[in-house]
């Protein structure tokens, strides 16, 4: 009996042991190979240095390098994508500096715009009048527009809102526009052209053409008088007793309205978004800005590391904008497809800067870094109406112009301009009129002193001093500086539109 119990106990123990041994899986080594494309090597060379890993985990030094790169790339992205808003902000700051700090205060160039005004590619041939609205402060705001104007409303993101005047709903007959703040839900009175805004701030751009039937010395004051005597801008809340208009003559004054190219651009961007609706930028833009410390309702206070990165990013962004402007890669920015010398501001005549529902990033940068005024009317080329223009950025050999040398541009006979044509010189640094001894650096069909060749063609010279006998066909350059030109065609003819007539290319003479 005892032996039987012992046997039973031994068998039970063996069963328990066997069960335990069977429950424990054998130790196995994983041997399946993961493709290298899905792993990180111990060391890899990149444009930001050699990145080192321990089994896929970056080292402390590599992690720092990666985050520096991410912050820099995001800051460059913010800089380039914010050029439209920064340009609009620069316009507002420049006008405020002249005293135009309320909607009823308008800057006007009574004697036309000369080269003292630092404004992106402004012209010397029409009369400008500009103002700003602050819908956050004033609420719904009225523009009582005179007859015969051509103007635009653009918001603080430089998005097109509406045309004013000839290309607008008033068809050049004048009328009252009512601009509504973002999300406005109040009553809307009748009798207005109603324009809702997505931003609190917006730019009012107006241009008065000179009466061609009058001598120029009479046409200029007549255009100014038309604007001054009839234009009114005021908050709707003051409709029964609007504030008196104030017109500030800025002709001949130092006035600065272009985007900064350094760290201060980020400071200005932060200040700008504080005054605008929280959602006007969109989630992607807001996320990019937040990633570098720019957020609405929060202080912008980067540490020493981040400030160094932002300073670097502004320099890279500035370089990128200039490369895109003077050597565009998008063929849509070439006026003539077989020449890189002539550039058009709106790629493929598209003022939305889109293709297949996506932003065309380089064309958007090119436009806003060098030009202002966004309106479909600015890009529509209609025979005999409006205007069209092209920029001569490079010489016939594809080189940047040198202000120390002499160049020549051949204008073939019969320029197809129903109204007039004009060539204006610009500074490659500021994209504003080149400052020389000629306060209005422009030549064109309105100038009586231009000499024509026997076949009716013309040669325009660009040099520090006028070539002998070419004084009437000469625009002055500055030694040590570069320059480019804009050829404007007012009332473009069919030959311009179908490119059967085209200017020559700027040729180096000596």
């Amino acid at each position: 009996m005892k032996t039987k119990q012992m046997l039973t106990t031994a068998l039970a123990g063996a069963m328990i042991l066997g069960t335990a041994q069977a429950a424990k899986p054998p130790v196995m080594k994983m041997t399946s190979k993961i493709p290298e494309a899905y792993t990180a090597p111990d060391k890899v060379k990149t444009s930001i240095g050699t990145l080192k890993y321990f089994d896929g985990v970056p080292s402390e030094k590599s992690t720092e390098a990666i985050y520096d790169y991410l912050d820099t790339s995001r800051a460059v992205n913010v800089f380039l994508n914010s050029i439209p808003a920064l340009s609009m902000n620069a316009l507002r700051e420049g006008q405020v500096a002249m005293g135009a700090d309320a909607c009823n205060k308008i800057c006007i160039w009574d004697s036309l715009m000369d080269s003292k005004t630092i404004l992106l590619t402004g012209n010397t041939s029409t009369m400008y009048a500009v103002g700003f609205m602050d819908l956050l402060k004033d609420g719904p705001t009225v523009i009582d527009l005179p007859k015969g104007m051509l103007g635009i409303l653009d918001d603080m993101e430089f998005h097109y809102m509406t045309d004013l005047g000839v290309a607008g709903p008033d068809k050049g007959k004048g009328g009252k526009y009512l601009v509504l703040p973002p999300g406005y839900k109040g009553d809307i009175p009748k009798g207005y052209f109603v324009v809702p805004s997505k931003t609190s701030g917006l730019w009012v751009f107006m241009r008065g053409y000179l009466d061609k039937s009058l001598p120029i010395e009479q046409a200029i004051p007549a255009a100014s008088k038309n604007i001054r005597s009839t234009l009114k801008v005021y908050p709707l809340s003051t409709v029964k007793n609007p504030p008196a208009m104030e017109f500030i003559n800025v002709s001949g004054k130092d006035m600065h309205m272009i985007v900064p190219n350094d760290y201060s651009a980020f400071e200005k961007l932060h200040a700008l978004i504080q005054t605008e609706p929280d959602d006007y930028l969109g989630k992607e833009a807001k996320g990019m800005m937040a990633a570098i410390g720019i957020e609405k309702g929060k202080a912008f206070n980067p540490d020493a590391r981040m400030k160094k990165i932002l300073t670097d990013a502004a320099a890279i962004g500035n370089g990128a904008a200039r490369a895109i402007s003077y050597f565009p890669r998008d063929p849509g920015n070439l006026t003539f497809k077989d020449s890189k010398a002539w550039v058009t501001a709106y790629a493929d005549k598209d003022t939305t800067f889109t293709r297949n529902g996506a932003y065309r990033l380089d064309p958007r940068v090119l436009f806003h870094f060098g030009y202002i005024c966004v309106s479909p009317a600015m890009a529509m080329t209609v025979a005999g109406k409006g205007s069209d223009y092209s920029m001569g950025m490079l010489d016939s050999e594809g080189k940047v112009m040198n202000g120390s040398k002499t160049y020549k541009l051949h204008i073939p006979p019969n320029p197809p301009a129903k109204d007039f044509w004009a060539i204006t010189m610009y500074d490659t640094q500021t994209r504003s009129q080149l400052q020389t001894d000629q306060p209005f650096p422009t030549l064109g069909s309105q100038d009586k002193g231009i000499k024509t060749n026997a076949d009716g063609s013309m040669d325009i010279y660009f040099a520090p001093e006028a070539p002998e006998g070419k004084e009437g066909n000469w625009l002055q350059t500055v030694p040590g500086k570069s320059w480019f030109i804009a050829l404007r065609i007012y009332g473009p003819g069919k030959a311009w539109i179908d490119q059967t007539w085209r200017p020559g290319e700027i040729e180096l003479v000596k």
Side-chain angles (χ1 to χ4, degrees):
M1 188 71 180
K2 185 176 180 181
T3 302
K4 186 177 181 180
Q5 286 178 334
M6 291 176 62
L7 181 60
T8 302
T9 302
L11 288 171
M15 290 176 66
I16 294 170
L17 179 61
T19 302
Q21 288 177 338
K24 185 176 181 180
V27 177
M28 296 181 65
K29 192 173 183 180
M30 298 296 291
T31 59
S32 59
K33 184 173 178 62
I34 301 174
E36 291 183 1
Y38 300 98
T39 65
D42 292 340
K43 185 184 296 185
V44 60
K45 292 182 179 180
T46 75
S47 62
I48 61 173
T50 299
L51 302 180
K52 297 180 180 180
Y53 300 88
F54 172 68
D55 200 24
V57 180
S59 68
E60 181 179 355
K61 187 175 180 181
S62 293
T63 299
E64 291 175 356
I66 290 165
Y67 275 125
D68 284 351
Y69 172 76
L70 281 176
D71 288 341
T72 301
S73 64
R74 287 166 177 166
V76 171
N77 184 290
V78 168
F79 182 94
L80 293 174
N81 289 344
S82 299
I83 287 175
L86 288 168
S87 180
M88 188 61 79
N89 187 66
L91 288 166
R92 181 166 61 184
E93 287 184 337
Q95 291 172 212
V96 168
M98 294 292 105
D101 57 0
C103 68
N104 63 307
K105 298 179 181 181
I106 302 295
C107 291
I108 185 170
W109 282 262
D110 275 334
S111 304
L112 305 184
M113 184 180 291
D114 60 29
S115 60
K116 275 185 168 285
T117 299
I118 306 301
L119 174 77
L120 297 177
T121 50
N123 75 58
T124 67
S125 305
T126 57
M127 181 162 294
Y128 291 126
V130 295
F132 253 91
M133 291 185 182
D134 185 346
L135 303 176
L136 186 65
K137 180 184 75 173
D138 294 336
T141 302
V142 177
I143 303 172
D144 192 345
L145 194 72
K147 296 179 180 179
M149 296 296 293
L150 183 65
I152 305 165
L153 295 183
D154 285 334
D155 70 15
M156 286 305 292
E157 190 68 0
F158 236 130
H159 289 153
Y160 168 74
M161 295 171 63
T162 190
D163 289 294
L164 304 172
V166 175
D170 69 284
K171 306 300 182 185
K173 298 178 182 178
K176 294 182 179 181
Y177 290 75
L178 180 62
V179 186
L180 304 178
Y184 181 73
K185 302 296 183 183
D187 294 334
I188 301 176
K190 295 181 180 180
Y192 295 91
F193 299 110
V194 177
V195 185
S197 178
K198 293 182 179 179
T199 61
S200 299
L202 61 97
W203 188 46
V204 184
F205 168 82
M206 291 164 288
R207 181 164 60 185
Y209 282 114
L210 307 184
D211 188 338
K212 294 179 292 183
S213 68
L214 297 175
I216 190 69
E217 62 272 12
Q218 296 178 19
I220 292 174
S224 174
K225 182 179 179 181
N226 180 51
I227 296 170
R228 284 174 170 269
S229 63
T230 54
L231 175 66
K232 295 180 176 61
V233 185
Y234 53 87
L236 180 65
S237 60
T238 67
V239 64
K240 294 183 179 179
N241 186 27
M245 292 297 295
E246 295 183 34
F247 291 92
I248 303 165
N249 178 21
V250 292
S251 285
K253 293 183 179 179
D254 293 316
M255 192 176 181
H256 190 286
M257 291 177 283
I258 62 173
V259 174
N261 296 157
D262 61 4
Y263 168 79
S264 68
F266 296 108
E267 294 178 313
K268 291 180 182 296
L269 181 62
H270 177 263
L272 169 60
I273 69 171
Q274 307 309 311
T275 64
E276 292 299 333
D278 187 55
D279 60 350
Y280 94 104
L281 287 170
K283 294 180 180 179
E284 183 71 18
K286 285 177 63 178
M288 278 288 183
M289 290 182 191
I292 62 170
I294 297 176
E295 295 184 77
K296 183 169 182 175
K298 295 184 180 180
F300 178 55
N301 189 26
D303 59 20
R305 169 191 166 273
M306 197 64 192
K307 188 169 183 178
K308 181 180 179 182
I309 284 173
L310 294 175
T311 300
D312 185 44
I316 296 170
N318 176 37
R322 291 176 183 275
I324 290 168
S325 296
Y326 299 112
F327 306 99
R329 294 188 300 183
D330 193 307
N333 278 119
L334 301 181
T335 305
F336 309 107
K337 301 311 177 187
D338 60 349
S339 171
K340 294 184 178 180
W342 289 98
V343 170
T344 186
Y346 287 117
D348 294 318
K349 300 288 185 178
D350 180 15
T351 58
T352 67
F353 311 106
T354 59
R355 180 191 284 136
N356 299 326
Y359 274 124
R360 300 170 70 176
L361 300 179
D362 283 6
R364 184 174 62 174
V365 168
L366 182 147
F367 179 85
H368 288 290
F369 191 70
Y371 313 94
I372 53 174
C373 301
V374 176
S375 163
M378 297 287 290
M380 289 175 59
T381 307
V382 180
K385 296 183 180 180
S387 61
D388 199 5
Y389 52 100
S390 181
M391 274 58 64
M393 290 292 193
L394 305 173
D395 70 12
S396 59
E397 298 181 356
K399 296 179 180 179
V400 176
M401 272 76 78
N402 185 333
S404 303
K405 299 180 179 180
T406 299
Y407 296 83
K408 179 177 71 173
L409 173 66
H410 185 68
I411 303 294
N414 305 313
K418 173 175 163 288
D419 298 325
F420 64 95
W421 61 269
I423 292 171
T424 303
M425 296 191 73
Y426 295 100
D427 185 327
T428 51
Q429 283 283 14
T430 65
R431 293 86 65 209
S432 303
Q433 291 179 35
L434 187 66
Q435 294 184 338
T436 67
D437 295 332
Q438 298 169 323
F440 297 95
T442 299
L443 278 177
S445 55
Q446 293 178 315
D447 293 282
K448 306 302 183 184
I450 296 181
K451 293 182 179 179
T452 59
N453 301 319
D455 64 354
S457 66
M458 289 158 278
D459 293 308
I460 307 298
Y461 290 84
F462 310 90
E465 296 181 0
E468 186 175 352
K470 308 296 183 182
E471 289 81 3
N473 294 45
W474 166 69
L475 285 172
Q476 188 177 29
T477 61
V478 180
K481 285 193 63 61
S482 187
W483 51 272
F484 68 94
I485 64 171
L487 170 61
R488 289 180 169 87
I489 306 290
Y490 290 89
K494 184 177 181 297
W496 169 263
I497 296 170
D498 63 21
Q499 298 190 355
T500 54
W501 183 97
R502 59 187 276 185
E505 294 185 355
I506 299 170
E507 298 178 1
L508 176 63
V509 175
K510 63 177 180 177

